[in-house]
Amino acid sequence: MASPAPTSDAFILAAKQCEIGILEELTETCDVVTAISELVHELQRERALSNIHLVSHGERLVPQRRQQIERCRHQEDRLRHLLSRRYLNHPPGHTGMPLLNTIALVLQGMDGLPALRNKISDLGMSPEDATFAFRRLIAGLLSVVFHAADVASEPIITRTLVALFNFMQGKEYAGQERAWGSIGFATGQFNREWGERIEQLQELQNRSFEDFRRFIDEALETQWRAHEADACNTDLNRLRSLIERLCQGDSIDSEISEVWYEVATRRIDGLRAIETALTAALQQTCREQLTRARHDLRSQQSRLSDLVHHQTPLTLLFDTRALPFTDHFQRRDIGSPEQARSVYELMLGQAEQIKQMEEALEDARRALRERKQIEKAKGLLMSELGLSEEQAYARMREKAMRNNQKLAELAVTLIDAADAARENGRAPKN
Amino acid sequence: MASPAPTSDAFILAAKQCEIGILEELTETCDVVTAISELVHELQRERALSNIHLVSHGERLVPQRRQQIERCRHQEDRLRHLLSRRYLNHPPGHTGMPLLNTIALVLQGMDGLPALRNKISDLGMSPEDATFAFRRLIAGLLSVVFHAADVASEPIITRTLVALFNFMQGKEYAGQERAWGSIGFATGQFNREWGERIEQLQELQNRSFEDFRRFIDEALETQWRAHEADACNTDLNRLRSLIERLCQGDSIDSEISEVWYEVATRRIDGLRAIETALTAALQQTCREQLTRARHDLRSQQSRLSDLVHHQTPLTLLFDTRALPFTDHFQRRDIGSPEQARSVYELMLGQAEQIKQMEEALEDARRALRERKQIEKAKGLLMSELGLSEEQAYARMREKAMRNNQKLAELAVTLIDAADAARENGRAPKN
């Protein structure tokens, strides 16, 4: 007990410094996330070129693939160094464990890329297996973005991260659609299962882009609408209808695969432009919020030293209008901290600002929670009923439609039922 | 890009170190929370003695009150130093802002205690106002415990913190019941409003203790049942029935106030014994978890250096059974990290452990979220309809019963309605 007793001033300023620390870390996180979006884009292209390589028995687009691998390697290196700078130099505190462990898995996956590339060069694996290998690595990278959004605690940045995660997810489904479509057209035929997979990917894209649109501002919404109105989407829909017809059993000249690839790529490049705008907005927001928070700290410091001269005895002991709630103090007549006429009012004003921030976060947090619940319910169906990921998703979608429920609501029902069944000592039945 | 590229090993170990860091911080947090529970207990006694001082016009229990103030001062000093050590030396990262700002408000409230005590000594305020002043300060201290639980991320510790918060809340309602009952008996009569307030406090106690019991182990549950079976509860219920009858308008000899005080205090001291067991369990859990995590880190380090010698090419690229979900990787056949035969399996095992930890946290987190929502809805009713805290709570309780809803469900309905109304540009109607 040698140190002097702390004053409330020290804690008021510590709360502001805490915000600045959060924003500085978020700024580096956003650099990481931007690098991930770039690497994923390059890997998606490499995946497409790898499929063409495999389907054409190593005859087509060989130099393009070689160049693309170089581009990927460059982005891989960049990401590795950013990850190390962001997470090993300043280890994240609370809730950082899933993020760090996912990064470990992804880095080891990236270590395996040279072996994967050799196998593809040697035509030592099927296009399906190659597609799945890239898909898993990209899913791992997306998972890092998800966790980054999950631990972020500034409302605007969190919303943008949630938008970005959903957008990247949608774009990845578009990339998978391109991959499966390429293989199908190149072999000249589709079957019903293949058609269902592609249809499901279209639906997953729509859902992801809808979720993305819930968290963006008007500028991005305008850009999204312009993209949707673009001719490539009309062309794509025409080819999608063709796939539907081919699933009835007809076959088609494999030449059309080039048209499909070109149209799907044009669309994905359009999506990439939106993604770039989104990561630019993210970095812009980080810079602005950091400037604002630093300004707030300075103005609060000077406000505190002003107020010390006309200290009033007002504390929560004597403030009959203060409502001390479990999560926040509340008082109706408090303005911003700048208008405070006492240290006490300044603290209540800051409490009100923090409360508004937390409330603004809730919407984005709920979206992340719902996503986790959907994934968890899907995993339950897969392990309990031995279904594939696609089958589990299809079953959930059907059931949600039949019950007139949102997918997230159905997920909670399934999870609760499984928990109840486990508590009763039996395996859940769905 | 001068630093060497990070390996996945570095991130696997960083995830474990992250857990140790969390647990070290939590151990200090638990010291703070224990000190808060001690200070609150002393303040509750001071509040009771202050009421007797005021109602008896400064004639009764004067030396006891003086001694009690000394005990409070001692606990105040201890808490101030623990707060400084825990939060100013190692500022909390994410989500620390509401905690720090609430601490600032509470410290300033504690600065005001000498002025409050002088007023009471000089009989310069009513017992009601004195009761409310202590109530607000204690609510602030409880709010610190709430935030500490809110930022904790280890399941067992979080559950115990949630149990402790609910227990402290219940004990504080019991303390308020003692205070209002003391004043009522000392003046020799009760009115209907007074009776309703006391009835509400009994119900709030029951709800808080039910919430507490959701998060405790069997040893504490046994202790709780023994407390409930204690004679002091029978005596208390007899006096509660008497209050109910007195609310009809009868008056009674004020001598009975001493009986009430004695019985209510015996019960609260019984509650305090459970609270002490709870904080002891909390500190025990922290020590155990820290020992376990440090052991885990060492065994993982040696496991990693073993595995490096028979490295397998297994990564998520080639593991066809890996299911990369947005929140976690999942694979059914992975055991504990100790059984891992490759670095890859070690990471999946760790992912599975982290997932189980997060899921175990969800129950406690949901309880905190529900509490926040109830408080928020209460605040909405208060500001929109100009109700007191008690009236708002009573209205919510009635409405929930009428709709056959849980209080937390009704709270969400009210909040959503208010949000929708705000979006439509009108004030919400309830």
Side-chain angles (χ1 to χ4, degrees), chain A residues 11 15 18 94 327-328 354 358, chain B residues 29 32-33 36 83 86-87 92 94-106 140-141 143-151:
Chain A
F11 280 88
C18 182
H94 299 291
D327 63 332
H328 283 290
I354 293 171
E358 299 252 300
Chain B
T29 300
V32 166
V33 162
I36 289 178
L83 285 171
R86 167 66 185 90
Y87 295 111
H94 298 291
T95 61
M97 286 178 74
L99 179 64
L100 294 172
N101 198 60
T102 303
I103 292 173
L105 265 164
V106 166
L141 288 161
S143 190
V144 175
V145 178
F146 181 89
H147 288 301
D150 205 21
V151 302

Side-chain angles (χ1 to χ4, degrees), chain B residues 167 205-206 209-210 212-213 220-237 240 267 270-271 274:
Chain B
F167 191 87
Q205 283 171 63
N206 293 340
F209 290 132
E210 271 167 35
F212 148 74
R213 289 172 68 191
L220 271 161
E221 174 67 22
T222 307
Q223 201 177 344
W224 170 256
R225 289 223 186 106
H227 164 79
E228 275 200 314
D230 190 274
C232 69
N233 280 299
T234 325
D235 294 346
L236 184 74
N237 284 330
R240 282 172 168 176
R267 175 162 169 264
L271 293 173
I274 296 176

Side-chain angles (χ1 to χ4, degrees), chain A residues 5-26:
Chain A
T7 63
S8 49
D9 292 20
F11 280 88
I12 300 171
L13 295 176
K16 265 286 158 222
Q17 266 146 355
C18 182
E19 188 187 7
I20 292 174
I22 289 169
L23 288 166
E24 282 168 347
E25 287 189 5
L26 269 176

Side-chain angles (χ1 to χ4, degrees), chain B residues 274-309:
Chain B
I274 296 176
E275 195 176 71
T276 307
L278 199 47
T279 53
L282 192 60
Q283 302 200 314
Q284 170 79 0
T285 308
C286 284
R287 276 191 299 273
E288 284 169 6
Q289 291 294 321
L290 203 46
T291 307
R292 181 204 44 77
R294 284 182 181 139
H295 167 84
D296 283 2
L297 176 64
R298 278 193 304 273
S299 89
Q300 205 160 64
Q301 277 166 329
S302 76
R303 200 85 200 86
L304 275 173
S305 56
D306 286 356
L307 288 171
V308 98
H309 300 299

Side-chain angles (χ1 to χ4, degrees), chain A residues 113-345:
Chain A
L113 276 172
L116 177 70
R117 285 168 181 146
N118 286 340
K119 264 193 162 178
I120 293 168
S121 298
D122 302 345
L123 307 178
M125 68 194 306
S126 69
E128 286 88 342
D129 285 348
T131 299
F132 272 116
F134 280 108
R135 177 180 149 181
R136 276 190 294 270
L137 180 60
I138 291 170
L141 288 161
L142 279 169
S143 190
V144 176
V145 178
F146 182 87
H147 288 300
D150 205 20
V151 300
S153 59
E154 197 288 326
I156 310 173
I157 298 172
T158 305
R159 289 178 71 85
T160 315
L161 281 169
V162 173
L164 179 64
F165 168 77
N166 281 299
F167 191 87
M168 288 176 74
Q169 184 76 71
K171 177 166 168 276
E172 165 59 6
Y173 289 132
Q176 289 176 29
E177 186 191 5
R178 174 174 66 182
W180 298 123
S182 295
I183 302 172
F185 279 121
T187 58
Q189 54 190 18
F190 288 86
N191 58 29
R192 186 175 299 276
E193 191 200 326
W194 208 264
E196 275 171 12
R197 178 183 282 168
I198 287 179
E199 201 189 309
Q200 200 179 74
L201 284 169
Q202 290 162 11
E203 201 195 295
L204 287 167
Q205 283 171 64
N206 293 341
R207 203 191 64 182
S208 300
F209 290 132
E210 268 167 35
D211 286 346
F212 149 75
R213 288 170 69 192
R214 278 173 54 204
F215 296 100
I216 54 172
D217 61 15
E218 234 158 289
L220 272 161
E221 174 67 23
T222 308
Q223 201 176 343
W224 171 257
R225 290 225 184 103
H227 164 78
E228 276 201 313
D230 190 273
C232 70
N233 279 301
T234 325
D235 294 346
L236 184 74
N237 284 331
R238 214 171 286 139
L239 288 163
R240 283 170 168 179
S241 308
L242 179 60
I243 293 178
E244 251 177 75
R245 283 198 303 278
L246 290 172
C247 288
Q248 313 299 324
D250 292 348
S251 59
I252 193 166
D253 193 323
S254 68
E255 294 277 295
I256 190 119
S257 78
E258 294 195 16
V259 179
W260 166 264
Y261 179 76
E262 189 272 324
V263 168
T265 299
R266 231 186 324 132
R267 173 159 171 267
I268 291 176
D269 287 346
L271 292 174
R272 174 67 193 149
I274 295 175
E275 195 175 69
T276 308
L278 199 47
T279 52
L282 193 57
Q283 303 200 313
Q284 170 79 0
T285 307
C286 285
R287 277 192 297 274
E288 283 169 3
Q289 290 294 321
L290 204 44
T291 308
R292 180 203 45 78
R294 284 179 182 143
H295 166 84
D296 282 1
L297 177 63
R298 279 192 303 274
S299 91
Q300 205 160 62
Q301 278 166 327
S302 75
R303 200 85 198 87
L304 275 174
S305 56
D306 285 356
L307 287 171
V308 99
H309 299 300
H310 34 88
Q311 194 67 277
T312 65
L314 196 60
T315 73
L316 64 94
L317 289 182
F318 299 109
D319 178 11
T320 53
R321 297 194 59 192
L323 308 171
F325 286 158
T326 48
D327 63 332
H328 283 290
F329 279 76
Q330 183 174 318
R331 222 182 84 150
R332 280 160 249 168
D333 55 355
I334 294 296
S336 73
E338 285 75 29
Q339 296 159 336
R341 281 152 306 159
S342 68
V343 175
Y344 174 69
E345 285 182 331

Side-chain angles (χ1 to χ4, degrees), chain A residues 3 81 136 316-317 326 375, chain B residues 3 81 136 316-317 326 375:
Chain A
S3 60
H81 285 91
R136 276 190 294 270
L316 64 94
L317 289 182
T326 48
E375 296 294 313
Chain B
S3 59
H81 285 92
R136 276 189 295 268
L316 66 94
L317 289 181
T326 46
E375 295 294 313

